[in-house]
Each structure stands twice: as C-alpha cells, then as structure tokens.
Amino acid sequence: MDDKAREMLVEDAVRRAVYGALGSLDPSLVVVGISNRHVHLTEEDFAVLFGQEAIQPMRYVRQRGEYAATQTVAVHGPKGSFARVRVMGPCRKASQVELSTTDCFTLGIKPVLAVSGSLAQAAPVEVAGPCGRISLPHAAIVASRHLHLGTVDAERLGLSHLDRVSVRLGGGRGGVLGNVVVRVQDSYLPEFHLDTDEGNALGVRTGAIAQILLPGA
C-alpha cells in the first residue's frame, strides 16, 4: 500500500468518526460545504484539454473518492472569462461547469438552476486548457442546493433520493432554506452543499453545522 492509499484510509476513518459522533447526537445535524466554481470533465474532454497528462489529485474533499485536481482550466462566456477554474476528479460521464448566479452574469450566460448531472437545459460554455479548447453546448449550471446522505443516514431520517427538505442555518445572517434536493448514495457522507452566493448571503462557511427540518417535525 502506497503513502497516498494509507493517507486516504486514515482520512476516511477520521471522517467516519467525526460524522458518526455528530449523527449519534442528532441525525438531523449536518456539516456545510461551500462550493466555489469548478469543472467536471469526461475522459475524452480532459484529453483534449490536457493531452497525455493524467488527472492528478491535489486535495481530497469530504465525499469519498472525490478530489480537487491539480489541473485548472479557463472558462469563457460571451462577456467574460474565469482563469484557473479547478477541475474536480475523478472524470465523469458528462462534462459539467458549476457556477454561481453571479459567475453566470460575469460570463454573460443564462443562469440555469439544475440538479447536478441534469444538463438538458444547461447553458453553453467554452473551456480551455493548455492543449486545446472545447465548446460545450449543454454544460453550465447553477447547481441546486443539495444534501448528501448515505443510505443508512437517509433511512434514519426517513428520507429518499430526490426528496426535498428545508435546512436551517444559524448565525447573525442565518435562516431557513427550502427546496434542498436530497441525494442518496451508499458512499455519501452527510453534507449540505451551497454555492458561494448562498454562503455569502447567509454568512456561512465550510464546516458550519446546519439542521435538516424534517417533514412533519
């Protein structure tokens, strides 16, 4: 076993302990993660943008097996561009550019609110890397705020995949957010994802604790 594999095992054990302790106190409490603009790429699109270079993990995120890669791209719209937008790994079946509404205004594209992976109505955008440039006709979205839950966590809370709930955030600018999409998968750790616009509006940062407001509670 190499050093990276051992590091991932230790990190996963720590995360399980932290989330397990939190869940044992109150399963409706969940950690907040704020998502900055980022890009998911297919293997084919990654090859166009980076040639023979392999996608390289830079920092693993809370969800198992997912990471911010060392590679970055430029994202171009009709009115503006962003340099050094982080690529997230591993590669996916469809390329996707996740932006905030403010980002969309800067690029000059229509903000399309969608659940991650639902790209039929996604806005067109161009992505450039050191080896090439691609035009993606349906890729740019403002990701719906969502709640990651493992299967066991969802069962404890009486929730199912694609249910919608409300979530309460504390603090001086806190409040209740509705229309939170529940996403359930065996590998998921409990985490509530917001984009930077939402996080800034509520004065919330990654690592804060939110409360799921269960139907009928």
Side-chain angles (χ1 to χ4, degrees):
M1 183 182 296
D2 61 20
D3 290 342
K4 176 55 69 176
R6 279 192 291 270
E7 180 182 331
M8 289 178 64
L9 285 175
V10 171
E11 181 182 355
D12 190 59
V14 170
R15 278 191 264 158
R16 284 174 179 270
V18 171
Y19 280 84
L22 183 62
S24 66
L25 295 173
D26 186 343
S28 70
L29 298 180
V30 63
V31 173
V32 176
I34 306 296
S35 295
N36 201 352
R37 68 182 77 99
H38 60 274
V39 175
H40 299 279
L41 295 170
T42 64
E43 291 182 356
E44 294 78 10
D45 287 342
F46 186 90
V48 171
L49 297 173
F50 293 97
Q52 298 300 310
E53 187 177 343
I55 189 168
Q56 294 289 334
M58 178 186 72
R59 181 184 69 257
Y60 283 85
V61 297
R62 285 192 177 92
Q63 298 306 316
R64 298 185 185 100
E66 299 186 12
Y67 54 86
T70 58
Q71 290 89 350
T72 61
V73 295
V75 175
H76 300 285
K79 294 184 178 179
S81 300
F82 292 114
R84 300 185 61 79
V85 178
R86 187 65 55 187
V87 175
M88 300 296 293
C91 290
R92 291 191 176 184
K93 295 181 179 179
S95 292
Q96 176 175 296
V97 179
E98 293 188 35
L99 304 165
S100 69
T101 298
T102 300
D103 290 340
C104 292
F105 293 155
T106 299
L107 293 176
I109 64 175
K110 178 183 177 181
V112 177
L113 183 66
V115 175
S116 179
S118 300
L119 302 177
Q121 303 301 318
V125 70
E126 292 192 357
V127 179
C131 297
R133 183 169 176 144
I134 54 176
S135 294
L136 300 170
H138 297 284
I141 64 168
V142 176
S144 299
R145 48 182 174 255
H146 55 279
L147 174 66
H148 289 278
L149 290 175
T151 305
V152 173
D153 301 301
E155 290 174 353
R156 292 178 69 192
L157 293 165
L159 297 173
S160 300
H161 185 59
L162 298 184
D163 279 351
R164 293 188 179 244
V165 295
S166 294
V167 173
R168 178 184 288 120
L169 294 152
R173 302 187 71 186
V176 174
L177 293 176
N179 286 320
V180 177
V181 179
V182 177
R183 302 184 64 189
V184 180
Q185 188 169 299
D186 287 345
S187 63
Y188 283 162
L189 292 168
E191 188 175 19
F192 176 40
H193 275 186
L194 299 172
D195 67 25
T196 52
D197 280 356
E198 294 169 314
N200 289 336
L202 292 161
V204 177
R205 296 185 180 276
T206 291
I209 302 299
Q211 183 175 26
I212 306 164
L213 302 180
L214 300 173

